[in-house]
């Protein structure tokens, strides 16, 4: 089961939790960075961090599906954006929020960086997720609705 914790003595985060806790014995997936490449290996949305973020989220969904998980079971992410401008980071974060990834809410770090691995790449997201069994997934959906600290 996932327990998402917002610490009452800290400033409340806008759309993420301070911590996510899972019980020992839970199956976890540690995903490599999701990048804005299409199935041919070409950058999607050259020069457009918002379009790249959308592709990154789509690719992240596929990575999660391949291991038997989904966005709702993501515990934490690191969101990398090639920019020194807070407005650009915020625009990418809006894509993360709109994707449903923040519904958990999961723990996250948003970073502005100088460059990423592929020429023209502006966004990358790494993630850690629970891989639920069928019975656990149903119970967590119900439990998460009422668990907020």
């Amino acid at each position: 089961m996932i327990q998402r914790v917002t610490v009452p003595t800290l400033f409340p985060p806008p759309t993420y939790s301070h911590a996510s806790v899972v019980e020992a014995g839970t199956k976890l997936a540690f995903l490599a960075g999701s990048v804005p490449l299409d199935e041919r290996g070409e950058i999607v949305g050259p020069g457009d961090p918002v379009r790249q973020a959308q592709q990154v989220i789509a690719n992240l969904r596929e990575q999660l599906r391949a291991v038997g998980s989904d966005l709702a079971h993501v515990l934490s992410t690191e969101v990398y954006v090639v920019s020194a401008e807070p407005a650009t980071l915020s625009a990418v974060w809006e894509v993360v929020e709109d994707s449903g990834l923040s519904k958990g809410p999961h723990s996250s770090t948003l970073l502005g960086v100088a460059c990423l691995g592929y020429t023209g790449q502006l966004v990358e997201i790494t993630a850690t997720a629970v891989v639920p069994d069928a019975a656990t997934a149903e119970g967590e959906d119900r439990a998460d609705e009422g668990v907020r600290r």
Side-chain angles (χ1 to χ4, degrees):
M1 178 145 106
I2 302 170
Q3 179 184 17
R4 301 173 196 282
V5 180
T6 300
V7 181
T9 57
L10 297 177
F11 185 78
T15 57
Y16 58 90
S17 62
H18 289 118
S20 298
V21 179
V22 294
E23 296 178 26
T26 300
K27 188 174 181 181
L28 298 176
F30 299 88
L31 283 67
S34 179
V35 298
L37 299 179
D38 64 17
E39 62 281 352
R40 296 177 313 276
E42 296 177 14
I43 290 283
V44 172
D48 184 350
V50 168
R51 179 64 190 103
Q52 286 195 16
Q54 293 165 340
Q55 183 66 42
V56 166
I57 293 292
N59 291 349
L60 181 60
R61 279 191 176 103
E62 290 301 311
Q63 287 174 275
L64 290 162
R65 186 182 348 258
V67 298
S69 193
D70 56 31
L71 292 178
H73 288 89
V74 170
L75 300 172
S76 67
T77 59
E78 292 80 34
V79 180
Y80 301 93
V81 183
V82 175
S83 181
E85 297 298 322
T88 303
L89 274 66
S90 293
V92 168
W93 186 253
E94 285 181 29
V95 174
V96 172
E97 286 181 316
D98 292 346
S99 73
L101 188 55
S102 291
K103 287 183 183 175
H106 69 293
S107 302
S108 188
T109 300
L110 176 63
L111 302 160
V113 298
C115 71
L116 291 167
Y118 292 99
T119 300
Q121 180 184 358
L122 301 175
V123 179
E124 184 164 336
I125 298 177
T126 62
T128 302
V130 167
V131 180
D133 60 33
T136 303
E138 288 180 24
E140 283 177 355
D141 288 343
R142 280 184 243 115
D144 270 350
E145 290 174 9
V147 176
R148 286 268 173 119
R149 286 188 172 179

